Amino acid sequence: DGVTEYVDKEMKSGVRYAYKARAYNTGYSDSAVKSTSAEFDGIYLQSDAGTIHLTSAEDKYMQHTETMEQEMALIKYSGRELPVAEYGEHRTRQAQKKAFVSHKDKKRFEEICHSEKVFYRDGDGNAFECAVSSVQYTRYMNAGYHVSFVVAEVEKEGVVLNV
């Protein structure tokens, strides 16, 4: 193929990774193992529309609210004082994030948010494919916008099979 470069777009902040190259001809040969890590702050959103680095608008701590839900029903039975929990197979993870977007980055941010496949990474080591919803802008002086948005973790393969 002539591939001379590899870019790992799913690296997590603070995690050490090891890589090696394998060349094939009639057999194969491996390169020496090289290791690296990345430390970054803020949030990275990336899709086919590009990558954007979001930072806090006011201080070094980015505000966010995270919600995790497990499919579950509480069933009450005669003869029992407390209900019994019955668990399903579905769970959800959503986070509301707040950041700053400059005037020049607003269009790219919107294009990424409207993409079908968006990858989320942050400085806390979270990395997952997501859907972006509920984007809200508040104009911040003449510099740009405070933006509040929701990311929902989704399966990497979004295919639904009807059996």
Side-chain angles (χ1 to χ4, degrees):
D1 280 13
V3 177
T4 60
E5 180 179 284
Y6 172 73
V7 178
D8 187 346
K9 295 183 177 180
E10 296 186 14
M11 283 185 76
K12 295 180 179 181
S13 181
V15 175
R16 188 143 201 86
Y17 292 88
Y19 300 92
K20 69 178 176 182
R22 177 167 282 177
Y24 290 96
N25 198 349
T26 53
Y28 67 87
S29 175
D30 290 335
S31 70
V33 174
K34 297 290 183 181
S35 64
T36 189
S37 65
E39 298 282 336
F40 53 85
D41 61 354
I43 295 169
Y44 282 88
L45 289 177
Q46 65 190 69
S47 73
D48 290 341
T51 301
I52 191 165
H53 179 216
L54 303 172
T55 57
S56 176
E58 296 175 349
D59 56 33
K60 72 177 193 169
Y61 301 107
M62 296 186 78
Q63 297 180 25
H64 77 274
T65 303
E66 191 165 330
T67 305
M68 292 175 30
E69 294 180 6
Q70 172 79 35
E71 182 179 41
M72 187 258 309
L74 296 175
I75 310 297
K76 296 178 184 174
Y77 292 100
S78 285
R80 291 186 181 242
E81 183 179 333
L82 297 173
V84 173
E86 297 278 341
Y87 293 93
E89 64 180 307
H90 303 107
R91 65 181 178 85
T92 59
R93 178 180 175 199
Q94 292 186 332
Q96 180 176 0
K97 302 292 182 174
K98 295 183 179 181
F100 175 79
V101 174
S102 68
H103 289 296
K104 75 176 185 67
D105 288 337
K106 184 178 182 228
K107 181 177 167 115
R108 184 164 32 113
F109 174 72
E110 290 174 346
E111 289 171 351
I112 291 169
C113 289
H114 287 103
S115 298
E116 287 187 25
K117 291 180 86 172
V118 178
F119 196 77
Y120 171 93
R121 288 182 294 162
D122 66 27
D124 293 332
N126 295 304
F128 51 86
E129 195 155 309
C130 69
V132 180
S133 65
S134 304
V135 178
Q136 180 180 12
Y137 296 99
T138 303
R139 189 162 178 125
Y140 186 65
M141 310 285 281
N142 290 325
Y145 303 88
H146 282 258
V147 62
S148 174
F149 60 100
V150 175
V151 292
E153 185 174 8
V154 296
E155 290 286 341
K156 282 190 173 198
E157 299 300 323
V159 177
V160 177
L161 298 175
N162 294 323
V163 181

